[in-house]
Amino acid sequence: MNRAEKAALQLQAVAVLRMLKRPRTYEELAGATGLPAGDLNRYVNGHVLPGPNRAREIVNGVGRDALADELRSRITRDAEGYVDNSAIVFDQSFLDLVAPVAAESFGFETPDVVLTAATDGITLGAAMASFFDARLAYAKKSKETAVEEFIESRQRLASGIELTYYLPASAIGGGETVLIVDDLIRSGETQELLLDIALQADADVTGVFALIAVGEEGLDRAREITDAPVGALEQME
């Protein structure tokens, strides 16, 4: 880990702790993290940064559990099982905390491009791209008028509806690495289309990540296509 990476990890740990501190006293935060209240006070107030090992522990351990709890508290489901995650995808500061936790938890390699689907995946994609200093690309269900060449992926769903996504051919270069992200994975159909787009571009997939997985079907479907890490911050039945 070079100096810049170490500093970034330390600052990410502080950001996670500040999020956790908002509804808690330092004693409560100490109980939640297992860290001394005095140390937490110094971290949160910017007097000192946690060491690299402690920072990684905060981001990868405490941070993942805390963000999953926060995410769970913001999700609502209706009587038919539809998930409303608008309180998450509209909160860019929360998504900016998710990115380093996801990277540490699932071991995603740094990609050249973060690929997602318009529109709900864009805010998460932007957070992940910013964290990795990568380009953001998003596939759409319609073609851009001024773009001449597209990568196109389509499939007929079980309902009989045909789903098609288009990505400008210049968005991903052959041999580049791609991380696929989305806000929600259920059946895995969207992720399969995004994986197909990456493969058509002759890119190497470094991982598939979703904020929320409903069941195992979508995650398993992605794992059948790629050997790269596949995971979600929160899994729901």
Side-chain angles (χ1 to χ4, degrees), residues 7 42 45 85 87 144 161 178 180 189 195 232 234:
R42 288 188 286 272
N45 287 293
N85 63 0
E144 297 284 353
I161 298 173
V178 175
I180 292 170
E189 290 158 344
L195 283 162
E234 170 64 9

Side-chain angles (χ1 to χ4, degrees), residues 19 62-75 94 98 101 211 233-235:
M19 181 199 73
V62 175
R64 180 174 176 177
D65 291 342
L67 288 176
D69 288 344
E70 179 71 13
L71 187 151
R72 200 177 301 120
S73 73
R74 299 188 186 193
I75 296 171
F94 176 80
V98 168
V101 171
L211 281 175
L233 183 62
E234 170 64 9
Q235 190 153 353

Side-chain angles (χ1 to χ4, degrees), residues 54-199:
R54 178 169 282 185
R56 177 170 284 109
E57 178 185 342
I58 292 168
V59 171
N60 193 26
V62 175
R64 180 174 176 177
D65 291 342
L67 288 176
D69 288 344
E70 179 71 13
L71 187 151
R72 200 177 301 120
S73 73
R74 299 188 186 193
I75 296 171
T76 59
R77 299 179 75 172
D78 65 17
E80 297 179 355
Y82 289 102
V83 176
D84 178 6
N85 63 0
S86 56
I88 302 161
V89 297
F90 294 163
D91 187 345
Q92 195 67 54
S93 62
F94 176 80
L95 296 177
D96 288 341
L97 292 178
V98 168
V101 171
E104 286 288 327
S105 298
F106 298 103
F108 296 130
E109 296 180 8
T110 300
D112 297 308
V113 181
V114 173
L115 175 63
T116 189
T119 56
D120 284 353
I122 292 176
T123 50
L124 174 63
M128 300 294 283
S130 177
F131 171 74
F132 284 114
D133 194 22
R135 302 195 312 276
L136 172 64
Y138 50 91
K140 300 173 69 174
K141 294 179 182 178
S142 60
K143 293 183 178 181
E144 297 284 353
T145 304
V147 178
E148 294 184 359
E149 294 186 35
F150 290 89
I151 301 172
E152 177 181 326
S153 184
R154 68 176 62 196
Q155 67 171 279
R156 188 173 296 277
L157 308 184
S159 61
I161 298 173
E162 191 171 77
L163 181 61
T164 307
Y165 275 103
Y166 303 93
L167 182 76
S170 61
I172 303 175
E176 289 192 307
T177 54
V178 175
L179 173 65
I180 292 170
V181 306
D182 210 349
D183 64 311
L184 180 72
I185 182 169
R186 187 188 297 269
S187 64
E189 290 158 344
T190 298
Q191 290 72 31
E192 184 173 350
L193 290 170
L194 294 175
L195 283 162
D196 181 56
I197 286 173
L199 295 173

